[in-house]
Amino acid sequence: MNRFDKVIEELVLERFLRYVKIWTTSDRILAREKTPSTERQFDLLNTLEKEMREIGISDIFYNEKGYLIGRIPGNTKAETIGFMAHVDTASDAPGKDVKPQVHKNYDGSVIELNKSLMIDPDEDTDLSLYLGKTVITTDGTTLLGADDKAGVAEIMTAASIIMSSDEIKHGDIELIFTPDEETGCGMDNFPKEILHARACYTMDGGREGELEDECYYAYGADLLFEGIVIHPGSARGKLVNAVTMASSYVSMLPRNESPEATDGRYGNFWAQNISGTLERASVHILLRSFDADDIQRRVKALHSFAAAVEAAFPGGKVYVEVKKQYVNMKEKLDQNPRVMANVEKAFERAAVEPHKVIIRGGTDGSRLTEMGIPTPNIFTGGHNFHSRKEWIAVPAMVKATKVILNLVEIWTE
Ligand SMILES: [Zn+2]
């Protein structure tokens, strides 16, 4: 793919700078009621739909929920694969009026965004990888939106090259753009039936080489505590206080298995919410683990804590309802080893060193994996996501784009 380096660099930079200026901040509260959570996400989606048509893609699905899927017809026999990115940016930092700063020929010094904010290469040590190259930052007042407009720009750049060149052999390719990833609700209305892809890749990771194929097994539990209310004058031996029941339940959760006490491969119990009155109280708890047996152990533990509280509060009732949220994508990826083997080949051909990362969370890719389409997550090249100190280097975007082009070829082999 080296023959395309120069053209990729121009195209991906031009697209990236244009996309980040389009305001697409999503809203975590509104996302519970509607998709997309903010109308402004259509501004980028409409642009992408138009650009797909301009580069010659005519097989396009686009709906009122903000899902945009374009299909490039193959020029040889191969299984359909997809590439996915999200158009929204996180609400953690302002995302309106983004003014990307292009630092050409980066000299290794501290980058001053404004008087009070700087990016220090002693802290952001990856900057040293890009001496003499072009680095893009914010002006210090907003986030940059490389998460995930770098992914969007990389996919669109690869698509435009595939459409304009006969040199690259490929099967059918689906380009998938989604809203509201940052709200956690991005896949709730995903039109899975539209997809033909047998495997997908999200372009939504961070630093160059990052490759994510493992996430949590995630469950959520709702606990309901029922007490017995008696006037305090005659409460002795009769009152069963749901507030006390709920608080004793929460105190049973092992503190050394909380998110604040764990990292790496350790799972946890995470108490999210407690509320109630004498009569009824409720608690919401999240369970997280990388291991299928361990997550079941945690589910069982919630039931045994409930039995212990009932025993300690005669007459009181504890109801436990546990729901699966998402599963570790590794399980499905291991059943389809070609999906990861091909990424590894694609990295190698783009001279990218893979850094496998386990995600202490889930992604849109893990949701898609659960729907039956194995979807690991590939780097975009961005750093310091969701912050005013977000930055990205152009060579990393070029490499990510090359990984996409390599992948489409490798899937035909
Ligand atoms: Zn993202």
Side-chain angles (χ1 to χ4, degrees), residues 11-24 44 47-48 51-52 87 89 98 144-145 148-157 177:
L11 292 176
V12 81
L13 179 61
E14 187 275 329
R15 282 185 194 277
F16 178 73
L17 294 178
R18 217 151 32 77
Y19 298 159
V20 295
K21 288 177 197 152
I22 302 173
W23 182 27
T24 60
L44 178 53
T47 302
L48 295 173
E51 291 182 3
M52 278 190 199
V87 296
T89 55
V98 172
L144 179 59
D148 186 22
K149 285 158 184 173
V152 175
E154 289 152 7
I155 293 172
M156 286 299 288
T157 299
F177 299 109

Side-chain angles (χ1 to χ4, degrees), residues 86 88 147-148 181-182 203-205 385-386:
H86 61 92
D88 65 316
D147 177 11
D148 186 22
E181 191 270 351
E182 302 292 358
M203 301 301 297
D204 192 18
F385 285 169
H386 302 195

Side-chain angles (χ1 to χ4, degrees), residues 138-198:
T138 70
D139 67 353
T141 61
T142 63
L143 48 66
L144 179 59
D147 177 11
D148 186 22
K149 285 158 184 173
V152 175
E154 289 152 7
I155 293 172
M156 286 299 288
T157 299
S160 73
I161 290 172
I162 292 165
M163 292 299 291
S164 65
S165 157
D166 305 328
E167 282 181 58
I168 299 168
K169 289 277 157 264
H170 60 88
D172 288 2
I173 301 163
E174 291 177 327
L175 319 175
I176 307 152
F177 299 109
T178 60
D180 276 329
E181 191 270 351
E182 302 292 358
T183 68
C185 303
M187 297 304 279
D188 292 355
N189 297 287
F190 187 78
K192 199 220 142 201
E193 66 287 352
I194 299 298
L195 282 196
H196 297 173
R198 178 201 169 289

